[in-house]
Amino acid sequence: MQKRSSHGSPGVRPDRRSSDRHGRPRGREAAARPARSTRTAAAPVLVPPAPEALAGCARQAGLTIPEQALQPLGIYLTELIRWNSVMNLVGAHDWREALANLAGDSFHLAAFLADLPLPEAPLHWDLGSGAGLPGIPLRMVWERGDYWLVEAREKRALFLSRMLCSLRLPRTHVHRGRVEHFFGTQPRGADCVISRAFMPPEALLPLLAPHLAPQGLVILLCNRQPAALPPGWERVRHRAYSVRSSAASAAGETRCFLAVRLHEAGALSPSGPSTDIPSSEV
């Protein structure tokens, strides 16, 4: 006579090793199932471009970059693309595109600042620094004074801090927080405030007016000059330049720098003409 199992099937023993009391598989069957991963995707490992490759790409884009800036620029562009893969810092997905369409502004800006009436050691504020453009490449070639990168978003401020720790840029600092809080940390007004699409000029300039040093300048990076400035402001200098969408393209878009300041009695009218610097074509 065959013995009946406790489950009523003759001669068949239940496989108690195949599942636990909740019906979950264990042993070999459990090992065969892939474990769920809770880790986020790691940033890719990238190698900075050789200085020769970077210099060649810069020449194609019409940029003149000092030799001593090539190595730190290569490190910055590589880290920018690596962090961009997990943080969406910028629209560029290749260091060549980032150089031609983003970092190139910084080197045009350095030439523009050299022609402005700034003190020997100006205090700069770069508002809404984001991924460090234009500030980080700019400080590789424009080392005068102190430079503050101001960014309210925590992850972007972390990226900026990591870059400054790696690149050791002179007298360059990061403030994580809103600009209204940043103003209270500064011992004096700014000689030069740089804004790249941080706020519209009609909102930005009244906000900055109480926080500028005498004759302090605000540099607006824009695609075209604003038609008018808020009351009390005058145009100082303007420079237009062309930027290619990539290093290999012939056509490009026109961008400009506009330097403005609070005017004094007897100075230019608030929306009067600026002193134009001859435009440079890339």
Side-chain angles (χ1 to χ4, degrees), residues 48 59 77-78 81 94 103 137 145 169 180-181 202-203 207 212 218 224-225 236 241 252 265 268 280:
R59 284 192 297 270
L77 292 175
T78 302
I81 298 304
D94 174 83
L169 298 176
E180 295 86 349
H181 301 154
E202 59 270 19
L207 174 67
L212 293 174
V218 179
R224 58 181 177 272
Q225 292 194 62
V236 178
Y241 61 101
L268 298 175
S280 56

Side-chain angles (χ1 to χ4, degrees), residues 27-96:
R28 293 182 179 178
E29 186 177 347
R33 294 191 178 186
R36 292 183 179 180
S37 175
T38 58
R39 296 181 179 179
T40 57
V45 177
L46 301 175
V47 178
E52 296 79 9
L54 192 57
C57 185
R59 284 192 297 270
Q60 289 181 346
L63 298 170
T64 301
I65 301 177
E67 185 176 354
Q68 67 271 18
L70 292 174
Q71 183 177 7
L73 179 62
I75 294 172
Y76 169 70
L77 292 175
T78 302
E79 288 299 293
L80 178 66
I81 298 304
R82 187 175 76 87
W83 282 62
N84 195 50
S85 65
V86 294
M87 281 180 52
N88 193 29
L89 286 170
V90 293
H93 298 285
D94 174 83
W95 69 263
R96 296 172 182 82

